[in-house]
Amino acid sequence: DGWNVTSSHGGRSTGSVRVTLDGEERSGEDTGNGPVNALYRAVDDAIRPVLGWEPTLVEYEIKAITEGEDAQGRVFIRCRRSIDEGPDAHVVTGHGLSTNIIEASLEAYIVAANKLRAAERDGTVSPMRRPAERLP
C-alpha cells in the first residue's frame, strides 16, 4: 500500500512499508545494508506475525530493459518460505518493473510473497510446520 526508504553512503538504510494482509492493514519498519534489504526486512516484519514465515530470497536479478536515463529496470527474484529448506522447498518467482529499481525490487518481493501465500492456501505447500525463526 505504501513504502518509504532512507539510505546514505556508509550508513544503514531504514525502510518502512504498509501492506494489506487478509483484509487487515499492517506495517513494518526495519534496517538493512541497503534500501532494498531494508524494505524486504520491513515487509518481513509486517507479515511474519500473521503468516509465521517470511519469504527467503533464493535469487535476485536486475536488468535494464530500455535505454537512457529513464530506463525501465526489471527485477526477477526467486523465493521460498523461511520455514522450508532443502531440495523439496517450494520456490516461486516474482517480477517487478519500474524506472525506480527499488520500487521494482519491492514489487517483485510482494508478488513472490503473494504466490507463496497462495500456494499455502491451495495446498501446494503444507501450512507452517515449525515456529518461524529470524535469521540474522
Side-chain angles (χ1 to χ4, degrees), residues 2-116:
W3 62 274
N4 187 33
V5 69
T6 303
S7 187
S8 63
H9 176 72
R12 304 256 324 146
S13 296
T14 302
S16 62
V17 298
R18 194 176 61 254
V19 298
T20 300
L21 179 62
D22 294 338
E24 180 183 337
E25 189 174 286
R26 303 199 46 87
S27 60
E29 185 172 327
D30 212 328
T31 60
N33 61 9
V36 172
N37 181 244
L39 286 173
Y40 283 8
R41 291 175 58 120
V43 169
D44 295 347
D45 288 350
I47 67 174
R48 185 183 319 103
V50 175
L51 302 180
W53 54 266
E54 67 251 7
T56 297
L57 199 61
V58 174
E59 183 179 349
Y60 176 93
E61 178 183 304
I62 186 164
K63 183 177 182 178
I65 60 170
T66 59
E67 296 180 10
E69 291 180 16
D70 60 348
Q72 291 277 313
R74 180 185 59 92
V75 173
F76 169 82
I77 65 171
R78 295 177 66 225
C79 291
R80 62 172 173 80
R81 296 183 308 173
S82 57
I83 59 172
D84 299 327
E85 296 180 12
D88 295 333
H90 184 71
V91 176
V92 299
T93 61
H95 296 84
L97 180 67
S98 177
T99 55
N100 181 332
I101 60 171
I102 296 168
E103 184 172 73
S105 297
L106 183 57
E107 180 182 336
Y109 197 67
I110 295 293
V111 167
N114 283 329
K115 286 182 177 180
L116 289 168

